[in-house]
Amino acid sequence: MAEREVKPEQTVAHNVRLVARDIVAFTSRVLEPHGVNQSQADCLYFLIRGETSPSQIAQKIGLDPSNLSRIIREFEGRGWVRREVDDANRRRVLLSLTPEGVAAAGRIDPHAGEVDAALRSHLSERELATLLKILRKIERGMDDAEVDDSSGSAS
């Protein structure tokens, strides 16, 4: 584990990747026994709270529509979700949880909360606010950065 430790001599990107990998691994250990991954748990989180728009759910959990569509098909196969055409806009599809989906979300949601609780457990409210502020700054920095993608491309 020592080679995976967050160290000041490493780049910020390297340290963030290490912590992100640890969060993903921890989340997998918590959720895997319940038959879902983090993206699926996130999808259930928004569905149980009444979100019905596939595009809104995809945006909120940071998935492209094809990956969300795969999750929805999986949930349909489990009998957790149904798709319905929006009466107000026939081109729109609305998602809703079936009673089985509500039960599954109820079983899984507390375990997804364990992940958040573990991440918060060593942070004061002030530290958490600072962390979120720093993450937003990092995100803005990446949005503002110009990337030279000309290397390795054939003309």
Side-chain angles (χ1 to χ4, degrees):
M1 181 84 164
E3 68 272 6
R4 294 190 55 205
E5 218 174 90
V6 172
K7 298 177 183 175
E9 66 270 14
Q10 299 293 341
T11 66
V12 171
H14 177 79
N15 283 321
V16 169
R17 274 193 312 275
L18 290 179
V19 172
R21 284 183 195 146
D22 286 345
I23 292 170
V24 168
F26 177 73
T27 301
S28 293
R29 286 194 310 273
V30 170
L31 295 175
E32 189 177 311
H34 306 285
V36 295
N37 62 35
Q38 182 65 59
S39 295
Q40 292 169 326
D42 289 345
C43 184
L44 285 172
Y45 174 87
F46 288 108
L47 286 167
I48 195 76
R49 285 159 180 79
E51 182 60 65
T52 60
S53 165
S55 61
Q56 288 294 314
I57 293 171
Q59 181 181 13
K60 288 177 178 181
I61 62 179
L63 285 179
D64 62 67
S66 65
N67 284 332
L68 181 68
S69 183
R70 203 171 301 120
I71 290 171
I72 298 306
R73 282 193 308 274
E74 170 75 22
F75 285 177
E76 284 177 315
R78 294 180 187 190
W80 292 358
V81 168
R82 73 178 146 263
R83 296 181 209 225
E84 299 171 12
V85 175
D86 184 354
D87 290 334
N89 179 350
R90 306 288 299 160
R91 293 176 295 166
R92 248 181 94 192
V93 171
L94 301 176
L95 302 174
S96 61
L97 289 173
T98 64
E100 295 84 3
V102 170
R107 286 190 309 271
I108 293 164
D109 200 44
H111 299 287
E114 288 176 37
V115 173
D116 192 56
L119 295 175
R120 292 171 176 262
S121 67
H122 295 295
L123 298 174
S124 67
E125 287 302 314
R126 185 175 180 171
E127 289 169 327
L128 179 61
T130 300
L131 173 62
L132 294 174
K133 184 178 177 180
I134 291 168
L135 290 172
R136 285 186 204 103
K137 281 185 168 188
I138 289 171
E139 186 176 46
R140 278 194 307 275
M142 290 187 317
D143 288 344
D144 295 344
E146 294 196 20
V147 177
D148 178 10
D149 60 2
S150 63
S151 63
S153 60
S155 300

